[in-house]
Every structure is written in structure tokens, then in C-alpha cells.
Amino acid sequence: MSKPSLFGYLVEFEDVTTILNAAREVRDEGYTKWDTHTPFPIHGMDGAMGMKMSILPWLVFGGGFMGCTLAMLLQWWMNAYDYPYLVSGKPLWSIPAFIPVTFELTILFSAFGAFFGMLALNQLPELYHALFTSERFRRATSDRFFISIEAKDPRFDLEKTRAFLETLGGTAIETVEEDE
Amino acid sequence: MGIATASQVEPDPIRGEPLVQGGHDFASVTDAVCGVIEAKRPPLIWFISIAISSIMTLVLFAMIVYLFWTGIGVWGVNVPVGWGFAIVNFVFWVGIGHAGTLISAILFLFRQQWRTAINRFAEAMTIFAVICALVFPGIHVGRVWFAWWMFPIPYQQGVWPQFRSPLLWDVFAVGTYFMVSSIFWYMGMIPDLATIRDRATGTTRRFVYGLLSLGWRGSNRQWHRYERAYLLLAALATPLVLSVHSVVSFDFAVSQVPGWHTTILPPYFVAGAIFSGFAMVVFLAVPARQLYGLKSIITMRHIESMNKIMLATGSMVGYAYAIEFFMAWYSGNIYEQFTFQNRAFGEYWWAYWTMASCNVIVPQIYWFKKARRSLVVTMIVAFLINVGMWFERFVIVVTSLSRDFLPSSWGFYWPTWVDILTFAGTFGLFFTLFLLFLRFLPMVAMAELKNVMPAAHPVHHLSGEKEGH
């Protein structure tokens, strides 16, 4: 194991209002590599952090489009082209009969787009993260709220950032280290 | 401070009752839900229940082995009634599996916040019910070694499935429903699995839940996409849940058999599915909340809301029963008219009247608030509704097949002991899976529940800027 390097600062908050206001200040200071960690999504945090809308809906649309096209091609190729089924003299390619499967596969692939797209954009699974080394951070999934600022942030400064974070109304500040 | 005492809880704009009662704060919600999983050993009744349900599951497996070994003749199916218990049970279980996605998707889109305490629970029930349902088409095909012909798999004979058959639509509808429900359930659970991981004391527990929670760390950048994905999944699952039982009803409606060939079947099946699904949810929720001390999380308000939905859907089902008779008379079709007379007054009259009284008359008690808020009444009614809904499927499948167009091909169907034990066995499988779920996974969606608590909302905004959502 090599020697640990600094990941960044972690500040703990006790309630929603304080962290929401603190997040606005961090945003206004111009930090970019930072995040908030909360046990549930806080209404208004996206704006307070100055985040952009996710591209996820496009991935879902792509999934749905693919599912729809695939289903149509699959059924046409299997039932009307490669192995034509003649049933009661009806047309081989009669669209209404192929709608249910097309609908289902559209939904299925859109759902895959939503789930796997979310995981990919969130870079999950990520089983190791520097923040997991913090004992305090374990309450982030229960009843405490955190702001983390990474040392990689261009505005990060060991002294100044700490001084700034102390003004935010948090209840504790700690440094987090990671194994490189 | 992130603590809500009883006096601080803001009244819900529509109903006076708070969603979470008993002065819970965030930490105590976590404790209450995780406590169930972290307890050294589950309550004695859990052991007794799982002992019984596992034995029943073994009975199910034994019956399936016996069926495979001997052949479909061990069942009561015959000509003309080729669809006996297997299809009745399939439709019954798929129907039960509808409440979960309805609660998690449709009520989510309608912003019915009371769903948060029960959605996890109901989604789990959905998945287990669909597993029980999927057993039947698989073992019903007769030559089980050809069951894979249901899927479009290339093989040397070059024959593909017939996509114009409703039976194949069913494969895709139920398969999609199972996968999408599982994704929805699992995705909703990721933050809560992370909670259990972070509270874990032993290494095994930390490792397993750590793996399952995929390294979730509650980051708002993650939450943003997570909430987006959840909303989109809800929007996708809403038409899906309505489509699944519609497609199941096409198995009947697309055929020519009198009593099946009607356009009312899809909405009628969907209403019935939601009806039976909610009955099963309360039937499981009431004992679970009593047993695990979650009365302040799954409150009387939740029970009452579900009972109201049962009243509404039960009445819709009753309306459908009446319309079926009206249409049979109005159509002037003698076969259709005979079918409905036969349903109510023929050989299976007892099945018809069990269905009608359990599904239409019994839920009318929920017009009374006292009944909606009584746990005893709730349990009895939920049980009777499930009985009634099973008989509904029995009536549809058996009466129509046993009396079709030609009197020379009329018949009679009666289940064998194998049929009955197989059906009983699926309850064993269902309850075994459910009991394991109660023991190892968070039965209440903690993150979502915290989000509807008053302390989750900021007291005031310091800056008057426009907020992102």
C-alpha cells in the first residue's frame, strides 16, 4: 500500500435547511468538484448546487426506440419473411397483430435504458470510494447531511477552503484520505 | 434540527392525518425499519410460518415432479376443458401481482404520498406473485421439454414462434412485467440497502449489503439521476401494468368461445387485478405491521386508503359482471345468452355466486368508515376478496369451456388432488419468498418515507431564486 493522499473535506450538517443554504454558498464560491450527500433527495438541491438537467431521458428514449424497432423487425423477419405463417389466408404482415409484442419490448428496452443509464451516468457500481473510509459518513444514509469538496477542485486550498467551510453552519469538519 | 415531534407535524392538506405518526425523526425511522433486519432472531411466529410455508413449497415441487414424471393426465383437465386449474391459477397470481406496480408507479405519478410506506412491500409481493404465476404456463404445456419453443430462439428446424397468437403475447407481456417490476423494486431499494450496509457491524453483512447497494453514497448528483430514472420508470410502468392484464385477457377475448369473446374483458381484468392485488397487500401488511412494530409507519390511514381502492375496484368489477349479462341479452346471440344463464344457474352456479358475493357484495361494507378502519373487518374482507377473485377466474375458464357451441362436446371439469395441492403449494412458495424478504430486505422504503416527513422540507429559502427540480 502506498501512502494515503488527501481526498478532500467532509462537512456534516444536521438539518435540511442549513445544508441547502450551505450548498448555495459553495456553488457561489465557484467550486466544481464537490457534492452533497443526503439520506433522501432534497427538494431544491439541484438548483442550490447549480446542476444541469441529466441526459437520462434521451437514453430512455433511445432504449424505447431500439425496443420498438427491434420488435417490429424481429416479428416481420420471423413470421412474414423467414418462416411465413399463413393463418386463415390473412396477410402475412398484419400490423395490429404485432402491436402487443412491440409495445412490451418498447417498454422493456426503455426500462433498461432508465436503469442501466442511471447506473452508468452515476458510475455505479463503485464499491470503493474514499468517503467510505470516514466513520462519520456512515450516517449519510440515515439521518445526517454532508458536503464533500474534493482536493482535485481547482479552487481547493487546504487553509482557505477549511476556513470557508467553517462558516457554513456545519457541526463537524474532517479531512478524508484515500489510498492511491 | 432534523427532528419532527408530533406537534410540529404539518397536517396533510387533504386529510388531517400525518403519514408518519408517533413522533418519528429520521434516525428513528431508520432504526424502526432496519431493526427488523438487524434483530438477532426473528419472532417465533416467523419461524413457525416459514416452517409451514417451506413444507408447502416442497409439496409444490413434489407435485411438479409427479406431473412431469406421469404426464398431464394427473390433472383434471380433459376435452373440452383443456384449461383447468393451471390457467385459473396463472390468471389469479398475475392479477395479485398488479397492486405492487400500481402502488409504485401510478400512485407515484398521481403524487399520492401515502404510498411510500407500503410500496416496497407491495412491489415485493408483486414479484413473488408473478413468480408463482410463471410456474403454471411452464408446467401446463404438457411436453415441458419443449417449453423453450415459447421464446424466439434460433434452432436447426428454422421454425419461429407464431407472433399472432395471444399466448405468445402473454409470454412477452408477463416476461416484461416481471423484469420491469424487478428493476423498479431493486432500484428503489438501492439507497435503503446502503443504509443497512452503513449500519452493519459484521463483515459478512457489510460485504453482502455493500455489494447489493452498488456503492451508493447518497450524493445529490446521484440522487438527481436516480429520481429522473425513477420517474421515467414509473411513467413506463403505468401503461405496462394496464397492458399486462389486458394481454392476459386477450388469451380469452381473442378466441371464439362464448363468454370469452367480448371487448369488455381487458378493462374488466385490469380492475379485477388491482382489486385482488390490494386485497393481498392489506392481507400481508396488517400482520406485518402488528408483528414488527411498524404501526406508526404503516398507519390506519394507509389501510383505509387501500380499503377505499378495494371498494372502488370491487364496484367496477360488479359493474362489469352486470354489463356482461346485459350484453349477452342485448346481442341477441343465443350462445352468449346461454353461456351467462349457465354461469349463474348451471352446474357451476356455486362458483358464480361465491364470486359475485365475495367480489361485489362484501366490499360494500367499506362505505362505512368504521369498517374501513377495523383491522378484523379488513382481514376478513381481504381474504374473501381473494377467494372471490379466484372463483372469478374459475368461472370464466371452466364454465365457458365446458359448455361451448355443440352440446355433443359438452363436458365437466373437476380438479384432482394434484391440482389442489399444486395450487396450495404456490401459496407456500409465495409466503416463503415473502417471509425471506421480511427478514433480509428493508420492507419499508426508508429514503422515500423520510422524504414525506415534514422535517425533510427546508423551513425557508434565504435567497429567492428559482429552484431546480
Side-chain angles (χ1 to χ4, degrees):
Chain A
M1 263 217 299
S2 55
K3 71 170 194 277
S5 64
L6 185 66
F7 169 77
Y9 282 119
L10 184 68
V11 195
E12 184 189 70
F13 296 87
E14 281 192 348
D15 67 300
V16 174
T17 315
T18 321
I19 192 175
L20 206 53
N21 292 328
R24 289 198 185 96
E25 287 188 45
V26 177
R27 173 197 66 190
D28 293 342
E29 277 296 301
Y31 287 98
T32 46
K33 291 200 177 301
W34 66 289
D35 214 333
T36 56
H37 304 269
T38 54
F40 50 84
I42 293 174
H43 200 71
M45 185 58 96
D46 296 349
M49 284 178 65
M51 279 166 49
K52 281 196 222 118
M53 182 62 201
S54 168
I55 59 154
L56 188 69
W58 292 103
L59 298 183
V60 176
F61 176 76
F65 187 76
M66 197 167 82
C68 182
T69 318
L70 261 179
M72 277 290 182
L73 279 176
L74 178 92
Q75 294 176 92
W76 168 79
W77 192 74
M78 287 180 181
N79 275 189
Y81 183 77
D82 190 52
Y83 191 89
Y85 275 94
L86 193 59
V87 182
S88 318
K90 287 172 188 151
L92 289 175
W93 179 239
S94 46
I95 303 257
F98 298 99
I99 292 298
V101 171
T102 308
F103 172 81
E104 301 298 340
L105 288 185
T106 307
I107 297 279
L108 182 66
F109 279 72
S110 313
F112 285 158
F115 179 65
F116 294 111
M118 183 277 286
L119 289 186
L121 293 174
N122 280 340
Q123 292 169 358
L124 295 174
E126 186 180 12
L127 298 182
Y128 169 79
H129 194 275
L131 288 170
F132 291 145
T133 57
S134 160
E135 198 57 33
R136 196 187 297 277
F137 188 68
R138 295 174 84 164
R139 287 179 79 173
T141 53
S142 175
D143 63 339
R144 285 292 185 271
F145 308 85
F146 295 90
I147 287 182
S148 65
I149 296 190
E150 292 180 38
K152 283 188 209 134
D153 192 294
R155 291 186 60 87
F156 186 87
D157 180 283
L158 210 54
E159 305 296 311
K160 281 185 201 154
T161 302
R162 190 181 181 100
F164 164 68
L165 289 174
E166 272 165 2
T167 63
L168 294 178
T171 47
I173 299 182
E174 63 176 77
T175 51
V176 178
E177 287 173 344
E178 73 179 328
D179 302 317
E180 281 295 334
Chain B
M1 288 291 288
I3 290 176
T5 61
S7 59
Q8 280 175 310
V9 173
E10 290 167 28
D12 186 73
I14 303 164
R15 301 274 312 279
E17 255 173 285
L19 289 163
V20 181
Q21 295 167 357
H24 271 299
D25 59 23
F26 296 142
S28 72
V29 166
T30 313
D31 288 340
V33 178
C34 293
V36 175
I37 302 162
E38 287 159 358
K40 271 245 153 53
R41 46 174 59 233
L44 182 66
I45 186 89
W46 186 89
F47 284 107
I48 297 170
S49 312
I50 202 157
I52 298 169
S53 70
S54 334
I55 291 169
M56 282 166 71
T57 312
L58 289 178
V59 169
L60 171 69
F61 293 154
M63 288 304 112
I64 292 175
V65 169
Y66 180 54
L67 172 83
F68 286 179
W69 193 259
T70 318
I72 216 91
V74 298
W75 283 353
V77 285
N78 55 34
V79 177
V81 187
W83 281 5
F85 257 42
I87 301 302
V88 174
N89 298 339
F90 164 72
V91 181
F92 171 76
W93 278 117
V94 171
I96 286 186
H98 273 57
T101 311
L102 181 102
I103 291 173
S104 34
I106 300 183
L107 296 187
F108 178 75
L109 295 184
F110 284 132
R111 306 204 185 280
Q112 294 294 308
Q113 294 190 332
W114 59 270
R115 67 182 263 293
T116 50
I118 49 166
N119 69 336
R120 173 71 40 76
F121 207 83
E123 286 165 28
M125 185 211 72
T126 285
I127 289 161
F128 305 148
V130 175
I131 289 172
C132 289
L134 285 171
V135 168
F136 287 103
I139 62 175
H140 176 253
V141 290
R143 287 176 239 178
V144 278
W145 51 96
F146 290 138
W148 58 276
W149 282 7
M150 289 190 279
F151 306 101
I153 299 167
Y155 68 113
Q156 77 279 10
Q157 287 178 356
V159 181
W160 297 111
Q162 217 278 74
F163 279 95
R164 275 170 289 187
S165 160
L167 300 180
L168 196 62
W169 303 347
D170 232 14
V171 173
F172 281 83
V174 180
T176 300
Y177 187 59
F178 180 70
M179 281 189 270
V180 173
S181 305
S182 305
I183 285 176
F184 208 28
W185 182 57
Y186 176 64
M187 199 183 105
M189 219 154 34
I190 291 173
D192 291 350
L193 291 169
T195 308
I196 301 172
R197 170 200 68 199
D198 289 346
R199 287 166 57 97
T201 42
T203 22
T204 320
R205 179 174 281 264
R206 200 168 158 78
F207 177 75
V208 172
Y209 286 102
L211 214 54
L212 288 175
S213 59
L214 306 176
W216 180 262
R217 47 183 196 279
S219 131
N220 194 59
R221 294 179 201 280
Q222 290 179 339
W223 275 123
H224 170 73
R225 300 182 188 109
Y226 175 91
E227 281 203 291
R228 251 318 104 183
Y230 200 86
L231 177 69
L232 288 163
L233 273 180
L236 292 166
T238 297
L240 179 67
V241 67
L242 300 179
S243 86
V244 175
H245 230 50
S246 300
V247 170
V248 171
S249 82
F250 289 162
D251 293 345
F252 301 92
V254 176
S255 76
Q256 306 288 325
V257 179
W260 288 5
H261 189 61
T262 53
T263 48
I264 198 175
L265 244 56
Y268 158 24
F269 266 53
V270 171
I274 292 165
F275 181 52
S276 65
F278 269 91
M280 192 56 110
V281 174
V282 285
F283 193 75
L284 296 173
V286 170
R289 78 194 269 275
Q290 307 295 106
L291 199 59
Y292 289 112
L294 295 174
K295 288 182 205 173
S296 52
I297 291 173
I298 302 172
T299 63
M300 281 318 291
R301 179 181 166 187
H302 296 102
I303 310 276
E304 194 185 351
S305 299
M306 288 194 276
N307 285 342
K308 281 181 183 167
I309 289 181
M310 273 180 254
L311 173 61
T313 48
S315 305
M316 285 182 214
V317 167
Y319 172 76
Y321 296 162
I323 285 292
E324 276 191 319
F325 272 81
F326 173 77
M327 289 311 292
W329 167 75
Y330 191 68
S331 67
N333 181 320
I334 53 164
Y335 301 106
E336 195 76 10
Q337 288 171 351
F338 171 77
T339 296
F340 283 93
Q341 276 168 23
N342 180 56
R343 276 191 188 176
F345 307 108
E347 275 172 314
Y348 294 106
W349 63 271
W350 42 271
Y352 183 84
W353 292 107
T354 309
M355 158 193 116
S357 44
C358 288
N359 291 350
V360 186
I361 300 168
V362 168
Q364 301 308 321
I365 196 173
Y366 285 150
W367 288 106
F368 303 100
K369 193 176 176 118
K370 264 222 169 89
R372 290 199 299 266
R373 296 182 74 92
S374 153
L375 293 179
V376 178
V377 173
T378 300
M379 287 299 278
I380 294 172
V381 171
F383 177 76
L384 288 177
I385 288 173
N386 274 316
V387 171
M389 284 308 293
W390 187 86
F391 272 99
E392 180 195 295
R393 279 65 177 251
F394 182 84
V395 166
I396 293 171
V397 171
V398 174
T399 59
S400 283
L401 283 177
S402 66
R403 291 283 181 275
D404 66 359
F405 300 96
L406 284 175
S408 61
S409 57
W410 286 359
F412 188 74
Y413 170 82
W414 194 250
T416 63
W417 61 275
V418 183
D419 279 312
I420 293 167
L421 285 183
T422 309
F423 179 49
T426 50
F427 278 95
L429 178 63
F430 179 75
F431 282 107
T432 305
L433 292 170
F434 198 78
L435 288 162
L436 290 174
F437 160 72
L438 290 181
R439 177 70 184 128
F440 294 108
L441 294 171
M443 74 167 111
V444 172
M446 291 178 274
E448 276 191 54
L449 192 67
K450 287 172 192 166
N451 211 359
V452 299
M453 290 168 67
H457 303 289
V459 182
H460 54 85
H461 299 297
L462 287 184
S463 50
E465 67 194 293
K466 195 168 174 274
E467 298 294 346
H469 290 284

